[in-house]
């Protein structure tokens, strides 16, 4: 399954069980500010058995990873859309910053926990198509497909590292952070012209 796509249609009971487990993981990690939760605690909070959690996810890190990606798919991606115009770049960056700040304890715990690498890769995969479209609009036919793909990966990864550091350090004022990130991206775009 592509990380950017929604979960494939399944039996409604399976969807409800998965949603309950992911919600329980989100709540426990957010409340505690750490990934030091157990499968038993998540299962109890979701009102399912440990066996069910293991059947659906395999291990704790996968539950945590999926909880992070689920939150981004449900709440962040709709804010960003896939048809952003260049004029919307600041608004979309601010929406992303507000989302991260609003869920800072949860994301900070995941980004400093054992699933951090997988979460970073997953979030980059979610955001890469959006950044690829923005590069196409900015540069049009001036770039080869490979160059556009490479530039999108570079910008997405770099911005992701910038966001991760901000979230881990406390995710303070989203407006100030947005201005900082837009300044960096703007300088990069100026150099490219």
């Amino acid at each position: 399954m592509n990380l950017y796509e929604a979960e494939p249609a399944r039996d409604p009971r399976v969807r409800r069980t998965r949603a309950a487990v992911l919600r329980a993981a989100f709540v426990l990690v957010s409340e505690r500010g750490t990934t030091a939760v157990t499968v038993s605690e998540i299962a109890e909070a979701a009102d399912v058995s440990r066996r069910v959690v293991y059947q659906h996810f395999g291990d704790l890190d996968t539950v945590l990873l999926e909880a992070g990606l689920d939150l981004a798919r449900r709440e962040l991606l709709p804010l960003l859309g896939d048809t952003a115009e260049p004029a919307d770049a600041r608004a979309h960056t601010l929406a992303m910053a507000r989302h991260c700040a609003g869920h800072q304890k949860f994301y900070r715990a995941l980004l400093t926990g054992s699933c951090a690498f997988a979460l970073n890769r997953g979030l980059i995969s979610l955001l890469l198509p959006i950044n690829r479209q923005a590069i196409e609009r900015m540069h049009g036919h001036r770039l080869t497909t490979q160059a556009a793909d490479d530039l999108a990966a570079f910008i997405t990864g770099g911005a992701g590292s910038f966001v991760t550091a901000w979230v881990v350090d406390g995710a303070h004022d989203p407006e100030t952070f947005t201005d900082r990130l837009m300044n960096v991206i703007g300088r990069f775009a100026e150099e490219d012209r």
Side-chain angles (χ1 to χ4, degrees), residues 1 3 36-37 41 48 58-59 66-67 86 93 95 98-99 112 129 141 172 174 187:
M1 177 174 78
L3 291 173
V37 298
E41 291 169 324
V48 300
D59 60 27
E66 288 298 322
T93 302
R98 286 179 175 154
H99 169 81
T112 58
H141 63 280
H172 302 290
R187 289 178 189 271

Side-chain angles (χ1 to χ4, degrees), residues 38-53:
T38 66
V39 170
S40 295
E41 291 169 324
I42 292 170
E44 182 178 327
D47 198 25
V48 300
S49 70
R50 284 181 42 185
R51 189 173 136 256
V52 167
V53 175

Side-chain angles (χ1 to χ4, degrees), residues 76-90:
L76 179 59
L77 290 182
L79 296 174
L80 303 180
D82 59 357
T83 59
E85 292 300 319
D88 294 332
R90 186 181 192 290

Side-chain angles (χ1 to χ4, degrees), residues 8 18 41 48 71 95 108 128 146 161:
R18 286 181 62 83
E41 291 169 324
V48 300
L71 178 63
R108 182 182 188 281
L128 190 60
Q146 184 65 57
S161 292

Side-chain angles (χ1 to χ4, degrees), residues 135 138-139 142-143 151 186-193:
I135 286 167
M138 264 195 316
H139 297 285
R142 294 186 306 157
L143 295 176
L151 185 56
R187 289 178 189 271
F188 181 75
E190 288 173 11
E191 293 293 321
D192 188 47
R193 291 177 191 195

